[in-house]
């Protein structure tokens, strides 16, 4: 029997495909099952134009048989089969696809689509097999043929006997090596798991003989082994069913079957798109944050199927980072795949699907916010931080998508509110959207800087996440209203008569402020009379873009950029402490030095900033006491 050489470039080409194209050896089974499904599809297409051929779907299946004793794995189908010419053209020429040629000749109808579009999937079998034998009998042929190869050194074809139309592929599985355990491809549980992972939604039954134990007939304690043929794939995916047929429990069951999370999904989105790009998707908004969500181990992405066959576990390109918490899958027949069918080529279809998915997620979140506020707040407590990161990242590129989804705790409502809700309540004379930053709501409530804003009846938002101020700096304005920290130098609040009167005393007190500023040189940029303090003696405010809270966050980072806010020490001239300062200026400069150091350190403590010299501070307190 003559051995023929492959008609592709060389032995090196086949070795490259076996060793480089596929990242996981288990992929071979997906490829061979997809080819078997294609073969059955081809009979379906023939039946559309041949009245003599009746396509009875129940008569078509794929069978997987493992023989541990002989180390063989068999994949058998009842598809269209191959002639000698087909075997030579489709298996003898590497990278030629019979499915692609057939697809070009036949328009896809009734949802039956030829999966295999590259001629290399079959050769993935050589990743796990020393010998591959293909026995095939074509439709309307009386003769069967056997194709056999050990790899790149060529193949043989000979006539043989086969009763039924279809193809049988027998893999002689390799012996185990130090690096690889090939026995797993003869284990029925492992094979079943691979089929469920990649080929669960192939439209034809995939059958296996599954071993089990049962009580012997007439016995209550003696068991016997038996084998039973079972369907191991689901066949009809949930996303191809009509939404009206499905219940919330069906979606929840799918969520758990796919191991998207241990929690319940807060909401699902079922998409069936039929336009510029055709795809189906089921997306889930989880109830809780995954334990590894903010770790480097977390991978974003959706499962990606091409005509029901799993192509990627995590397709990151389908989700923007700010929606990385979304779980689910996408199935499309419009995608351009690379030669290994494992990775996507970055094309227009992929971008269209990703854009549409982003819009669907945004729409669902807006609907939750509007119609199911409690659920949205539950979602926001888990993933609001990620939305804020999305606003901040890429220099604020995504702020228009996300800003109306943001929520912050309100000083008036004592609950989370949106920016729209804040603006709707603003008095006409209020110029800015005010916010206060701190470690907690309780800490912010005690900040001296909030006094004037509260007194004016203005609402302010609590920024307790480290990302909050950075995100707001990217938004800058919302509906023509600028954001303003309560610690900012200019709050835009008009002075009342008493404050105007105090302003007239500024020159009188300038000597005192200049003296204190000189003492605190390098620590503050200015010392001045406060317009915001009512009951507290002192506070720090800032000039410039960097606030005190931003300084703390940036300097807590590993690289410690040593960023400093431009601090201003503000003194309440209506407080009794101010009278003591004036008296010390006139009578005792040493005491004024002591008072100045104490007030500055008090202001640092109020802001949660570290003292430069805690021992000196405690000694200064003792000096006051004695």
């Amino acid at each position: 029997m003559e051995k023929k050489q492959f008609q592709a470039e060389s032995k090196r080409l086949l070795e490259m495909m076996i060793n480089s194209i596929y990242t996981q050896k288990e992929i071979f089974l997906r490829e061979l099952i997809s080819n078997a499904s294609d073969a059955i599809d081809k009979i379906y297409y023939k039946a559309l134009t041949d009245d003599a051929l009746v396509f009875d779907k129940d008569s078509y299946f794929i069978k997987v048989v493992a023989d541990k004793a002989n180390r063989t794995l068999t994949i058998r189908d009842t598809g269209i089969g191959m002639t000698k010419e087909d075997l030579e053209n489709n298996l003898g020429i590497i990278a030629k696809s019979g499915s692609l040629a057939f697809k070009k000749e036949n328009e896809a109808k009734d949802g039956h689509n030829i999966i295999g579009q590259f001629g290399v999937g079959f050769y993935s079998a050589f990743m796990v097999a020393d010998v591959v034998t293909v026995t095939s009998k074509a439709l309307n042929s009386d003769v069967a043929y056997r194709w056999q190869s050990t790899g790149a050194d060529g193949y043989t074809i000979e006539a043989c006997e086969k009763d039924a139309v279809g193809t049988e592929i027998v893999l002689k599985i390799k012996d185990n090596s130090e690096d690889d355990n090939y026995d797993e491809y003869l284990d029925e549980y492992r094979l079943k798991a691979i089929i469920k992972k990649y080929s669960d939604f192939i439209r034809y039954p995939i059958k296996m003989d599954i071993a089990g134990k049962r009580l012997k007939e007439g016995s209550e304690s003696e068991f016997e082994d038996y084998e039973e043929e079972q369907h191991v794939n689901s066949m009809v995916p949930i996303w191809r069913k009509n939404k009206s047929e499905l219940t919330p429990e069906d979606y929840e069951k799918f969520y758990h079957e796919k191991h998207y999370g241990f929690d319940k999904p807060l909401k699902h989105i079922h998409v069936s798109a039929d336009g510029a790009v055709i795809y189906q998707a089921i997306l889930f908004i989880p109830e809780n944050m995954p334990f590894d969500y903010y770790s480097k181990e977390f991978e974003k992405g959706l499962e990606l199927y091409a005509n029901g066959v799993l192509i990627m576990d995590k397709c990151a390109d389908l989700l923007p980072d700010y929606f990385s918490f979304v779980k689910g899958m996408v199935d499309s027949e419009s995608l351009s795949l690379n030669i290994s069918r494992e990775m996507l080529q970055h094309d227009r279809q992929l971008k269209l699907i990703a854009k549409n998915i982003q819009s669907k997620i945004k729409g669902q979140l807006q609907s939750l916010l509007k119609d199911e506020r409690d659920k949205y707040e539950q979602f926001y407590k888990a993933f609001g931080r990620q939305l804020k990161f999305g606003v901040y990242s890429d220099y604020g590129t995504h702020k228009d998508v996300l800003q109306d989804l943001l929520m912050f705790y309100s000083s008036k409502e004592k609950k989370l509110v949106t920016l729209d809700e804040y603006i709707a309540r603003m008095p006409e004379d209020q110029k800015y959207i005010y916010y206060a930053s701190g470690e907690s709501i309780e800490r912010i409530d005690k900040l001296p800087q909030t006094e004037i804003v509260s007194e004016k009846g203005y609402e302010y938002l609590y920024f307790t996440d480290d990302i909050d101020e950075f995100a707001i700096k990217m938004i800058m304005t919302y509906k023509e209203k600028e954001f303003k920290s309560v610690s900012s130098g200019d709050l835009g609040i008009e002075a009342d008569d008493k404050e105007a009167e105090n302003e007239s005393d500024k020159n009188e007190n300038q000597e005192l402020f200049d003296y204190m500023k000189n003492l605190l040189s390098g620590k503050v940029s200015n010392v001045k009379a406060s317009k915001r303090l009512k009951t507290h003696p002192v506070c720090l405010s800032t000039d410039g873009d960097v606030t005190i809270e931003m300084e703390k966050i940036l300097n807590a980072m590993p690289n410690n950029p040593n960023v400093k806010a431009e601090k201003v020490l503000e003194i309440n001239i209506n407080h009794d402490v101010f009278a003591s300062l004036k008296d010390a200026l006139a009578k005792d400069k040493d005491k004024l030095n002591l008072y100045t150091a104490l007030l500055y350190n008090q202001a640092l403590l109020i802001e949660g900033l570290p003292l430069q010299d805690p021992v000196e501070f405690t000694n200064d307190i003792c000096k006051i006491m004695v």
Side-chain angles (χ1 to χ4, degrees):
M1 182 169 39
E2 180 188 0
K3 177 172 281 190
K4 300 185 179 183
Q5 296 301 312
F6 288 112
Q7 295 178 38
E9 313 303 323
S10 64
K11 176 181 179 179
R12 185 170 175 274
L13 177 61
L14 181 56
E15 287 175 345
M16 180 193 73
M17 287 190 289
I18 293 171
N19 298 317
S20 303
I21 289 179
Y22 296 99
T23 56
Q24 294 177 297
K25 287 183 169 62
E26 65 184 27
I27 294 292
F28 84 91
L29 190 56
R30 179 193 74 182
E31 296 296 310
L32 296 182
I33 288 174
S34 295
N35 290 346
S37 176
D38 289 349
I40 299 174
D41 279 340
K42 289 173 183 177
I43 285 191
Y44 168 79
Y45 283 113
K46 291 287 185 188
L48 293 177
T49 55
D50 187 350
D51 293 337
L53 182 61
V54 177
F55 184 83
D56 179 8
K57 192 171 181 179
D58 294 336
S59 302
Y60 297 94
F61 61 88
I62 301 162
K63 181 98 183 247
V64 178
V65 181
D67 183 344
K68 289 185 179 180
N70 294 308
R71 292 192 70 78
T72 62
L73 179 65
T74 302
I75 296 93
R76 187 181 303 129
D77 70 64
T78 55
I80 200 166
M82 289 180 280
T83 63
K84 182 179 181 181
E85 182 182 13
D86 292 334
L87 288 168
E88 289 200 357
N89 287 337
N90 296 338
L91 303 188
I93 303 176
I94 300 172
K96 178 174 180 180
S97 171
S99 293
L100 181 58
F102 191 92
K103 187 175 183 180
K104 288 178 179 177
E105 294 169 9
N106 298 270
E107 290 293 325
K109 299 175 183 177
D110 297 343
H112 285 66
N113 297 284
I114 305 300
I115 299 169
Q117 295 185 29
F118 299 98
V120 300
F122 168 78
Y123 298 93
S124 62
F126 288 104
M127 292 192 296
V128 300
D130 289 323
V131 183
V132 178
T133 305
V134 180
T135 305
S136 192
K137 183 177 182 180
L139 184 67
N140 300 324
S141 175
D142 296 326
V143 185
Y145 290 92
R146 180 178 292 115
W147 180 100
Q148 190 172 75
S149 176
T150 56
D153 61 339
Y155 62 93
T156 60
I157 297 180
E158 61 179 341
C160 65
E161 294 294 322
K162 188 177 187 303
D163 295 332
V165 171
T167 298
E168 180 179 273
I169 301 174
V170 180
L171 310 183
K172 182 70 173 177
I173 300 298
K174 294 178 180 180
D175 292 326
N176 292 337
S177 66
E178 287 185 10
D179 297 326
D180 296 295
N181 174 26
Y182 293 101
D183 286 351
E184 64 177 318
Y185 303 119
L186 296 168
D187 180 80
E188 71 175 47
Y189 296 105
R190 177 73 174 114
L191 292 170
K192 187 176 177 181
I194 295 172
I195 292 169
K196 291 292 286 183
K197 179 178 180 180
Y198 293 104
S199 307
D200 197 32
F201 304 115
I202 290 287
R203 63 180 61 88
Y204 305 107
I206 302 173
K207 300 179 179 181
M208 286 183 67
D209 293 326
I210 304 297
K213 289 184 178 291
R214 63 188 173 196
L215 281 170
K216 277 189 176 180
E217 191 174 344
S219 172
E220 293 184 1
S221 59
E222 194 174 353
F223 289 84
E224 63 179 358
D225 296 325
Y226 75 100
E227 277 193 342
E228 180 181 62
E229 187 177 76
Q230 295 180 8
H231 292 177
V232 295
N233 62 321
S234 302
M235 293 175 58
V236 181
I238 183 176
W239 59 83
R240 287 185 182 159
K241 295 180 179 179
N242 289 329
K243 298 176 191 178
S244 58
E245 299 175 19
L246 300 168
T247 65
E249 289 73 23
D250 292 325
Y251 290 106
E252 188 177 323
K253 181 182 178 184
F254 180 72
Y255 181 85
H256 290 131
E257 283 178 349
K258 300 301 289 181
H259 305 293
Y260 291 145
F262 296 105
D263 57 347
K264 289 183 179 181
L266 199 63
K267 209 71 179 175
H268 70 264
I269 309 165
H270 192 160
V271 184
S272 294
D274 190 3
V277 61
I278 299 170
Y279 74 94
Q280 293 87 36
I282 296 181
L283 312 172
F284 294 96
I285 298 171
E287 194 173 53
N288 299 316
M289 182 195 303
F291 71 93
D292 61 347
Y293 188 59
Y294 285 112
S295 73
K296 61 182 180 181
E297 285 76 26
F298 180 81
E299 287 184 78
K300 73 163 184 172
L302 302 175
E303 286 186 317
L304 182 67
Y305 292 79
N307 296 308
V309 178
L310 181 67
I311 302 303
M312 294 178 71
D313 277 326
K314 300 275 188 181
C315 182
D317 293 327
L318 288 172
L319 284 177
D321 285 344
Y322 50 83
F323 288 155
S324 59
F325 49 80
V326 173
K327 305 288 185 181
M329 51 65 55
V330 173
D331 186 9
S332 177
E333 60 189 61
S334 303
L335 297 172
S336 299
L337 306 177
N338 72 356
I339 198 169
S340 70
R341 218 179 337 186
E342 288 186 272
M343 295 170 61
L344 287 169
Q345 294 173 350
H346 292 267
D347 60 6
R348 180 172 171 271
Q349 288 90 350
L350 178 64
K351 291 177 181 176
L352 282 173
I353 292 174
K355 184 178 179 181
N356 199 341
I357 284 174
Q358 175 192 303
S359 176
K360 294 290 183 183
I361 296 169
K362 168 77 181 289
Q364 183 63 75
L365 291 176
Q366 286 178 312
S367 177
L368 265 183
L369 178 58
K370 180 182 176 183
D371 302 324
E372 298 179 82
R373 182 66 172 245
D374 289 345
K375 278 192 174 181
Y376 185 81
E377 290 189 14
Q378 183 181 357
F379 152 79
Y380 194 79
K381 285 172 183 175
F383 300 108
R385 183 184 178 89
Q386 188 65 15
L387 299 184
K388 296 171 195 174
F389 273 119
V391 171
Y392 173 70
S393 64
D394 299 327
Y395 304 100
T397 304
H398 316 294
K399 65 180 181 181
D400 291 337
V401 177
L402 300 171
Q403 59 189 4
D404 54 345
L405 296 175
L406 301 182
M407 301 184 84
F408 300 96
Y409 192 81
S410 159
S411 62
K412 274 195 175 178
E413 298 296 310
K414 303 300 180 185
K415 64 179 183 180
L416 289 171
V417 299
T418 66
L419 296 177
D420 276 328
E421 290 165 346
Y422 180 99
I423 285 180
R425 289 191 293 269
M426 284 177 63
E428 286 187 16
D429 64 337
Q430 184 178 337
K431 297 179 181 178
Y432 301 113
I433 300 172
Y434 293 108
Y435 67 87
S437 300
E439 295 174 8
S440 66
I441 291 170
E442 292 73 24
R443 287 288 295 270
I444 291 173
D445 279 337
K446 296 176 182 177
L447 285 178
Q449 294 92 327
T450 62
E451 286 187 314
I452 184 65
V453 178
S454 298
E455 185 181 80
K456 290 290 183 180
Y458 298 159
E459 181 178 8
Y460 58 89
L461 303 174
Y462 292 67
F463 284 8
T464 54
D465 264 346
D466 52 10
I467 188 63
D468 286 345
E469 278 199 274
F470 294 91
I472 289 304
K473 294 291 184 186
M474 290 300 168
I475 296 177
M476 296 179 67
T477 61
Y478 186 78
K479 295 191 175 176
E480 301 181 351
K481 293 291 184 181
E482 186 181 340
F483 290 89
K484 184 73 74 172
S485 169
V486 296
S487 298
S488 293
D490 178 18
L491 290 176
I493 295 175
E494 297 298 330
D496 57 25
D497 293 339
K498 186 175 180 182
E499 288 168 342
E501 188 178 314
N502 289 336
E503 184 71 16
S504 67
D505 294 335
K506 180 177 179 183
N507 293 333
E508 180 186 331
N509 300 319
Q510 193 60 47
E511 181 187 355
L512 171 62
F513 295 144
D514 288 343
Y515 185 90
M516 296 176 71
K517 177 182 174 182
N518 186 55
L519 282 175
L520 298 172
S521 178
K523 298 176 180 178
V524 299
S525 63
N526 198 13
V527 178
K528 67 178 185 179
S530 179
K531 297 179 182 178
R532 75 189 78 223
L533 293 175
K534 298 298 176 184
T535 61
H536 294 78
V538 68
C539 74
L540 287 174
S541 62
T542 57
D543 285 333
D545 291 332
V546 179
T547 66
I548 291 171
E549 203 62 29
M550 293 172 74
E551 174 189 313
K552 289 194 288 185
I553 292 163
L554 290 170
N555 291 332
M557 291 181 175
N559 58 346
N560 191 358
N562 198 29
V563 172
K564 296 294 182 185
E566 190 177 338
K567 302 179 187 70
V568 175
L569 186 69
E570 295 194 8
I571 307 295
N572 184 354
I573 61 176
N574 295 312
H575 197 281
D576 293 341
V577 162
F578 185 68
S580 298
L581 289 171
K582 290 177 70 174
D583 186 63
L585 176 67
K587 299 176 181 177
D588 189 344
K589 294 290 177 64
D590 288 339
K591 186 172 286 188
L592 179 57
N593 295 349
L594 177 63
Y595 289 167
T596 300
L598 279 171
L599 287 172
Y600 172 69
N601 283 323
Q602 282 180 355
L604 289 178
L605 289 173
I606 289 169
E607 295 296 336
L609 290 169
L611 302 181
Q612 188 173 351
D613 190 341
V615 174
E616 183 181 359
F617 175 65
T618 56
N619 288 338
D620 286 346
I621 292 175
C622 291
K623 289 175 186 176
I624 296 291
M625 296 173 67
V626 296

